[in-house]
Amino acid sequence: MASLSSSSNKGSLVVKSSLIEPDGGSLVDLVVPEIQRAAKISEAEDNAKDGTLVNMSLPIVLAIDDEVKEKIGVSNDVALIGPNDDLVGILRSIEIYKHNKEERIARTWGTTAPGLPYVEEVITSAGNWLIGGDLEVLQPIKYNDGLDHYRLSPQQLRKEFDKRQADAVFAFQLRNPVHNGGFVKADDVPLDVRMEQHSKVLEDRVLDPETTIVAIFPSPMHYAGPTEVQWHAKARINAGANFYIVGRDPAGMGHPTEKRDLYDPDHGKKVLSMAPGLEKLNILPFRVAAYDTVEKKMAFFDPSRAKDFLFISGTKMRTYARTGENPPDGFMCPGGWQVLVKYYESLQAEDSPQKQTVLSA
Amino acid sequence: MASLSSSSNKGSLVVKSSLIEPDGGSLVDLVVPEIQRAAKISEAEDNAKDGTLVNMSLPIVLAIDDEVKEKIGVSNDVALIGPNDDLVGILRSIEIYKHNKEERIARTWGTTAPGLPYVEEVITSAGNWLIGGDLEVLQPIKYNDGLDHYRLSPQQLRKEFDKRQADAVFAFQLRNPVHNGGFVKADDVPLDVRMEQHSKVLEDRVLDPETTIVAIFPSPMHYAGPTEVQWHAKARINAGANFYIVGRDPAGMGHPTEKRDLYDPDHGKKVLSMAPGLEKLNILPFRVAAYDTVEKKMAFFDPSRAKDFLFISGTKMRTYARTGENPPDGFMCPGGWQVLVKYYESLQAEDSPQKQTVLSA
């Protein structure tokens, strides 16, 4: 067996659930004893035969370079080694394919322009070969950042929803602190601060802790717009969600070299409404919320009295925090706000010396 | 109603047929009286509701420029005018979208490299807007090249297959003269010469005229490989074919700027085997044929006695024709060969003065 310094974890145990059917008919957990393999393979073949369509819009692949490929040679199985040289899994009955980066990028992003963050960080430096096979995970991936208890597998999430006797599961994805209206596009706030703020939002019962589960989906953003949003939707289905809230331009970004959005802001929602394999997911349109200065609470934006509404951006939150001013009552729970104040203050402490450096240069 | 100098024809009359079900459940003929429209719309909605998947891998679009868009203004319907200023159709309840050429090219070809023939000939010079709507064709498109009787609509083809009581319809696509083994990749031979050669092949009963229909599919090649081959397959389904022969690298080409094939030669067949909406088509693998010098006929290539086989390329056929030599007996029917000899002789007549010009320059 050759060994390979890279890792991956995903979900052959069929999870019984009263919830929405997972994409493809059943959840597959790769962390299974060898003895169950034959039965699982036959099960998987039956799933494929029944005509169920599996939507896989983003390739989840493991790239290797020429050197690793040569090292693997004619081995049938490879060991997967984590960053600390720990054995995390075995890839059996491997197959190796050419990694056509240009075609992968063009078909995933609809552009090959330089400056796509995921391409620059992950693909450009990756090897020219892709390796696949039957994956056996020997130990679940840990980040050891104090947040691993939030990284729930689809099975764990479904078990939790069942325990709470959920008859409907709504999913929404947050990359920003939660205010009382849902979420706004704020300046990026790091994961640990966001998670702390989320826990305060539950503590202060803005969202009911009995019916709310906060979890981290450790899937790096591709910013591949309509292509990526299908992956987000599929992953939520597999985690048990049957309602999914989609906004304008989901997973979109500005064109890396032209002064325009990379994607049509309506294409993400349109693609989800017709993507094969995702029919069972109910798509909820995202409605714009803002602070209603008359009702003194977050509310759906009413264009007929636009002047009553206040849009509180990340920049504005940061200004409030810097000047020691509180946001208007009803915008965010006090506990959650204090988490952000602390964070924004730490940024100021970092920013000031930097600015001075610039001035004196 | 605004008018628009461009045209398109395609196929709401449900065509009854004992043949393979058309892609989407039923053939749609847009040349219908207005009185039938409401019923047709309701029928189309029912088709969409039953979950039938329609595969549409290549966008069939009509691009307009800023000037035409401005001319259309707030019109609801536009007239479609042919190249000779003749009214060919009406596009009703129009919608106009941005033509994102980069995204279209990247998602269709998997590259945005310069030098893609269809991109350079059709897309680059096209307008920045795409117009769509309900199409009513007022007169079928004619090419007036003496070959229009070969341009059969899906309805006409299905009617013909029914008349001949076909229980299976095999489709294969030719861009080259037919020899006795099927087809080879030859130097391009113009459409009229190929059609004349095809008719000789039927006359000489190499293919049985009772069970063979030769027709022209007026769809320009995109050379978009695995994406385009789905369109070819869908079009054949709609024309009634239930068996389709697919070779290596269908609709593929060399990378326009790199020294490699643009597509993995196996991806076309792989994509067809799993493309939603094309399940009803039986894919037959293409087997390589060559001239068997022992058996003195075209036969499937047998690698165990490779030296007995002769691959007769377009270049070699041209050499035979130039030197007045006949290809080996059993390679091509004599009538078909004479058509090619005449064509290759006409090329020589054209070539010679050109060569002299080059020499004297």
Side-chain angles (χ1 to χ4, degrees):
Chain A
M1 186 183 292
S3 74
L4 188 51
S5 292
S6 192
S7 63
S8 174
N9 78 330
K10 280 189 288 170
S12 331
L13 270 175
V14 178
V15 176
K16 304 278 180 206
S17 167
S18 57
L19 303 163
I20 185 172
E21 279 234 315
D23 187 36
S26 62
L27 276 190
V28 178
D29 179 357
L30 293 163
V31 193
V32 282
E34 187 63 28
I35 200 167
Q36 294 182 19
R37 290 287 293 283
K40 298 300 146 201
I41 287 169
S42 135
E43 179 190 287
E45 284 169 351
D46 287 349
N47 278 343
K49 273 183 213 140
D50 77 0
T52 306
L53 284 165
V54 174
N55 184 298
M56 195 63 225
S57 67
L58 284 183
I60 308 287
V61 291
L62 179 54
I64 58 173
D65 58 24
D66 295 2
E67 198 187 338
V68 172
K69 182 173 180 282
E70 200 169 319
K71 201 171 151 196
I72 292 171
V74 297
S75 299
N76 199 42
D77 307 328
V78 286
L80 301 171
I81 311 293
N84 306 318
D85 283 340
D86 45 331
L87 179 68
V88 294
I90 298 171
L91 207 52
R92 298 195 183 272
S93 305
I94 59 158
E95 291 183 341
I96 295 175
Y97 303 93
K98 269 193 198 156
H99 186 183
N100 187 334
K101 296 181 185 184
E102 183 193 48
E103 186 174 3
R104 177 180 174 194
I105 296 164
R107 294 200 193 274
T108 305
W109 280 272
T111 179
T112 57
L116 298 167
Y118 188 90
V119 171
E120 298 208 328
E121 282 166 35
V122 179
I123 300 181
T124 303
S125 59
N128 289 319
W129 306 94
L130 299 175
I131 186 170
D134 295 333
L135 181 61
E136 286 175 12
V137 177
L138 298 176
Q139 58 173 352
I141 303 297
K142 294 286 174 201
Y143 288 74
N144 301 313
D145 57 356
L147 300 172
D148 279 327
H149 63 287
Y150 280 120
R151 295 191 178 87
L152 302 176
S153 71
Q155 266 188 65
Q156 289 172 314
L157 284 165
R158 284 175 168 258
K159 210 172 142 184
E160 192 61 34
F161 298 145
D162 268 342
K163 209 177 87 185
R164 299 187 191 198
Q165 299 183 287
D167 52 4
V169 178
F170 294 79
F172 60 103
Q173 168 170 336
L174 300 161
R175 295 204 305 268
N176 295 300
V178 188
H179 55 59
N180 295 357
F183 71 99
V184 288
K185 272 209 169 178
D187 291 338
D188 274 2
V189 171
L191 182 63
D192 57 341
V193 177
R194 277 182 289 149
M195 296 312 289
E196 191 185 341
Q197 198 264 357
H198 295 344
S199 75
K200 292 291 177 195
V201 163
L202 294 191
E203 245 174 56
D204 287 8
R205 306 190 74 84
V206 175
L207 292 172
D208 183 351
E210 286 307 303
T211 59
T212 307
I213 295 169
V214 178
I216 295 172
F217 177 40
S219 169
M221 286 295 296
H222 286 54
Y223 297 104
T227 304
E228 185 172 15
V229 77
Q230 296 172 74
W231 161 244
H232 291 176
K234 173 205 175 85
R236 298 323 186 275
I237 288 175
N238 285 0
N242 46 0
F243 290 89
Y244 186 50
I245 298 164
V246 176
R248 266 173 73 82
D249 203 14
M253 60 176 276
H255 193 288
T257 60
E258 296 172 23
K259 235 184 153 161
R260 61 173 177 91
D261 285 339
L262 184 49
Y263 304 110
D264 179 307
D266 294 322
H267 281 185
K269 206 188 312 181
K270 197 168 232 167
V271 162
L272 278 190
S273 73
M274 54 196 197
L278 303 180
E279 301 81 2
K280 55 175 89 81
L281 190 64
N282 298 288
I283 305 299
L284 301 177
F286 173 74
R287 291 174 62 190
V288 175
Y291 184 72
D292 185 335
T293 56
V294 176
E295 300 289 332
K296 298 206 180 309
K297 62 173 189 182
M298 291 300 294
F300 290 124
F301 177 67
D302 175 357
S304 73
R305 48 184 193 91
K307 63 172 183 40
D308 295 344
F309 287 87
L310 191 62
F311 286 88
I312 301 176
S313 66
T315 307
K316 198 170 274 182
M317 281 198 272
R318 198 163 160 174
T319 305
Y320 283 137
R322 193 174 56 231
T323 58
E325 198 181 343
N326 284 330
D329 280 357
F331 169 70
M332 190 184 285
C333 67
W337 177 244
Q338 283 315 309
V339 172
L340 289 184
V341 166
K342 222 175 71 192
Y343 167 66
Y344 288 131
E345 278 172 353
S346 76
L347 279 190
Q348 258 183 284
E350 278 173 27
D351 278 5
S352 307
Q354 266 192 320
K355 273 183 191 159
Q356 287 177 341
T357 309
V358 173
L359 285 171
S360 66
Chain B
M1 188 184 293
S3 75
L4 186 52
S5 292
S6 193
S7 63
S8 174
N9 77 328
K10 280 189 291 173
S12 277
L13 268 177
V14 178
V15 176
K16 305 278 180 205
S17 168
S18 57
L19 303 164
I20 186 171
E21 279 237 312
D23 186 37
S26 62
L27 277 190
V28 178
D29 178 358
L30 294 162
V31 193
V32 282
E34 186 63 29
I35 199 168
Q36 294 180 19
R37 291 288 293 281
K40 298 299 147 203
I41 286 170
S42 135
E43 179 191 286
E45 284 168 351
D46 287 348
N47 278 343
K49 272 182 213 140
D50 76 1
T52 306
L53 284 165
V54 173
N55 184 298
M56 195 63 226
S57 67
L58 284 183
I60 308 286
V61 291
L62 179 54
I64 57 174
D65 58 24
D66 296 4
E67 198 187 338
V68 172
K69 182 173 180 282
E70 198 169 319
K71 201 172 153 197
I72 293 172
V74 296
S75 300
N76 199 45
D77 307 327
V78 284
L80 301 172
I81 311 294
N84 306 320
D85 283 340
D86 45 330
L87 178 70
V88 293
I90 299 171
L91 205 53
R92 299 195 183 272
S93 306
I94 60 158
E95 292 183 341
I96 295 175
Y97 303 92
K98 267 192 198 157
H99 186 184
N100 187 334
K101 295 181 185 182
E102 183 192 48
E103 187 174 2
R104 178 181 174 194
I105 296 164
R107 294 200 192 275
T108 304
W109 281 272
T111 179
T112 58
L116 298 167
Y118 188 90
V119 171
E120 299 206 328
E121 282 166 34
V122 179
I123 301 183
T124 303
S125 59
N128 288 319
W129 306 94
L130 299 176
I131 186 170
D134 296 333
L135 182 61
E136 286 174 15
V137 177
L138 298 177
Q139 58 174 350
I141 303 296
K142 293 285 175 203
Y143 288 72
N144 300 314
D145 57 356
L147 300 172
D148 279 325
H149 63 287
Y150 280 120
R151 294 191 179 87
L152 302 176
S153 70
Q155 265 187 67
Q156 288 172 315
L157 284 165
R158 284 175 168 257
K159 212 172 140 184
E160 192 61 34
F161 299 144
D162 268 343
K163 208 177 88 187
R164 299 188 191 198
Q165 298 181 288
D167 52 4
V169 178
F170 294 78
F172 61 103
Q173 169 170 335
L174 300 162
R175 295 204 304 269
N176 295 300
V178 187
H179 55 59
N180 296 357
F183 70 101
V184 288
K185 271 208 169 179
D187 293 337
D188 274 3
V189 171
L191 182 62
D192 56 342
V193 178
R194 277 183 288 149
M195 296 312 289
E196 191 186 340
Q197 198 265 356
H198 295 343
S199 75
K200 292 289 177 197
V201 164
L202 295 191
E203 247 174 55
D204 287 6
R205 305 192 73 86
V206 175
L207 292 171
D208 183 351
E210 285 307 302
T211 59
T212 306
I213 295 168
V214 178
I216 295 173
F217 177 40
S219 168
M221 284 296 294
H222 286 55
Y223 297 103
T227 304
E228 184 173 16
V229 77
Q230 295 172 74
W231 161 244
H232 292 175
K234 172 205 174 86
R236 298 324 186 275
I237 289 175
N238 285 0
N242 46 359
F243 290 88
Y244 186 51
I245 297 164
V246 176
R248 267 173 72 83
D249 202 15
M253 61 176 276
H255 192 287
T257 60
E258 296 171 25
K259 235 185 154 160
R260 61 172 177 92
D261 285 340
L262 184 49
Y263 305 110
D264 180 305
D266 294 322
H267 280 186
K269 207 189 309 180
K270 197 167 231 169
V271 162
L272 278 190
S273 73
M274 54 194 196
L278 303 179
E279 301 82 1
K280 55 175 88 81
L281 191 64
N282 298 289
I283 305 297
L284 300 177
F286 174 74
R287 291 175 61 190
V288 176
Y291 183 72
D292 185 335
T293 56
V294 176
E295 300 289 331
K296 298 205 181 307
K297 61 173 190 183
M298 292 300 292
F300 290 125
F301 178 66
D302 175 356
S304 73
R305 48 183 192 91
K307 62 171 184 40
D308 295 345
F309 287 88
L310 191 62
F311 286 89
I312 300 175
S313 65
T315 307
K316 196 169 277 182
M317 281 198 272
R318 199 162 159 174
T319 305
Y320 284 136
R322 194 175 55 231
T323 58
E325 197 180 345
N326 283 331
D329 280 357
F331 169 72
M332 191 184 284
C333 66
W337 177 245
Q338 283 315 309
V339 173
L340 289 185
V341 166
K342 221 175 72 192
Y343 166 66
Y344 288 131
E345 277 172 353
S346 75
L347 279 189
Q348 257 182 282
E350 277 173 29
D351 279 4
S352 307
Q354 265 192 323
K355 273 182 191 159
Q356 287 178 339
T357 310
V358 172
L359 285 171
S360 65

